Amino acid sequence: MSRTALTAAAAVAAVTLVLSGCGGDPEPAPPSVAPTTASSATTEPEPSESASADAPLYVALGDSLAAGYQPGGAELRDSAYPALAANRLAGDGADLRLENLGCSGETTTSLLKGGKCTFDAGSQIAQAEQVLEAAKGNVGLVTIDIGGNDLLRCVRIEAGIDAACVDQGVKTVGTNLPRILQRLTKAAGGDVPVLVIGYYNPWVAAKALDQPIKGIDAAAKAYTRLSTTIEKSAKGAGATFVGLDEAFGTNDTTPTTIGGRTVPENAARVCTLTNLCTARDIHFSDEGAATVARVVAEAASKAGVSG
């Protein structure tokens, strides 16, 4: 890829802030999400459908990353990280039935109150509680990624990053996420692993590729604050934080070559693991979804999910 193409793609990233859970590209109309079964007409088919009917349940919550959002607006749930993680775990002998409740555009507020996607129970958290209650005693795993979209409104294309808005967004996550996780861990049961997935920092690529938009350093700091808030909330609720910094090489500035130019390793990984430098979209590429699935599956195994 040429320098011009990489720089243009990085410029588009400026309209997406640190969220990486719901990119700046137009999202599809909020889908209806089925209350219990992945075979419902309102959801994409899940590759874990081969799991036996009495296999332990895996409930995935989150935003467009969990929903498998792709450039152009499609949601490919069968290749989203929850489905791929379930497949990896099945390969290791841990057969799980996946229920993916992910909702593109979801914020911590809408996850609690509803409004982004249609759930029979009214909101994603209420739907999760209902599903978990129905499977009580046979739940194997719960994962969630949420919080990135709370900062979306803080991007001003012409003016850069609204610092006051970032402060409020991080504060909102800090207020809502503990409530979400307390309800989720209670509904899942004390012995069920609840994994809280962190985000990655697309700004490392934007800065390395001569991003001209104002406030890029503030955006990078916002990512750090968001990540810290999510990790603190997870620990406070007795859940397990699963960071993506290692997989994305967030702190690795070793020079590497991509598209004919030299950039830090962390920028190259963002270009590889997301669609930023190919389709101007910071959602996961196929390799990115597979990488995050590996991280999640390894964390689940470490937390005790086994065959």
Side-chain angles (χ1 to χ4, degrees):
M1 180 177 295
S2 68
R3 177 191 176 103
T4 300
L6 286 171
T7 304
V12 175
V15 302
T16 59
L17 192 57
V18 300
L19 41 96
S20 58
C22 174
D25 49 357
E27 299 248 359
S32 296
V33 180
T36 54
T37 63
S39 61
S40 167
T42 56
T43 58
E44 295 287 342
E46 307 283 3
S48 59
E49 60 189 10
S50 60
S52 62
D54 59 351
L57 182 66
Y58 165 18
V59 179
L61 297 87
D63 49 32
S64 53
L65 293 183
Y69 182 85
Q70 294 295 302
E75 284 187 354
L76 304 180
R77 292 175 183 261
D78 59 349
S79 58
Y81 80 80
L84 299 181
N87 284 345
R88 290 186 68 99
L89 288 165
D92 292 333
D95 200 25
L96 299 173
R97 294 179 293 118
L98 173 61
E99 179 75 15
N100 188 345
L101 302 178
C103 169
S104 292
E106 197 86 290
T107 66
T108 57
T109 297
S110 66
L111 192 144
L112 281 168
K113 298 182 178 180
K116 282 292 182 181
C117 293
T118 301
F119 294 97
D120 285 355
S123 68
Q124 189 173 166
I125 186 62
Q127 191 70 44
E129 289 172 323
Q130 187 177 99
V131 169
L132 290 167
E133 178 62 29
K136 197 166 187 177
N138 194 33
V139 179
L141 176 66
V142 176
T143 65
I144 180 172
D145 71 82
I146 198 68
N149 290 325
D150 288 72
L151 275 64
L152 174 61
R153 62 190 179 85
C154 304
V155 179
R156 304 289 183 266
I157 297 177
E158 298 297 329
I161 307 302
D162 184 335
C165 177
V166 168
D167 288 341
Q168 184 57 51
V170 173
K171 183 181 294 185
T172 298
V173 174
T175 298
N176 289 341
L177 188 53
R179 296 173 181 170
I180 291 168
L181 296 179
Q182 286 166 7
R183 290 175 62 175
L184 198 54
T185 53
K186 180 179 179 181
D191 59 342
V192 176
V194 176
L195 308 184
V196 185
I197 318 303
Y199 288 93
Y200 46 96
N201 186 358
W203 294 104
V204 296
K207 188 169 185 177
L209 300 172
D210 305 322
Q211 167 61 275
I213 301 300
K214 298 177 183 178
I216 192 169
D217 289 327
K221 290 179 181 178
Y223 158 80
T224 300
R225 291 176 57 196
L226 176 64
S227 184
T228 298
T229 299
I230 293 172
E231 182 173 9
K232 181 179 179 181
S233 298
K235 291 181 177 178
T240 300
F241 176 73
V242 180
L244 299 181
D245 282 341
E246 182 176 352
F248 276 76
T250 300
N251 300 312
D252 188 347
T253 57
T254 304
T256 189
T257 300
I258 184 171
R261 64 173 299 183
T262 300
V263 299
E265 174 65 22
N266 52 16
R269 290 202 198 180
V270 168
C271 284
T272 300
L273 300 179
T274 75
N275 294 299
L276 172 62
C277 299
T278 55
R280 303 182 180 184
D281 184 301
I282 59 174
H283 290 86
F284 293 141
S285 62
D286 289 345
E287 184 174 347
T291 296
V292 173
R294 172 183 56 78
V295 173
V296 171
E298 289 175 350
S301 295
K302 186 176 181 180
V305 178
S306 60

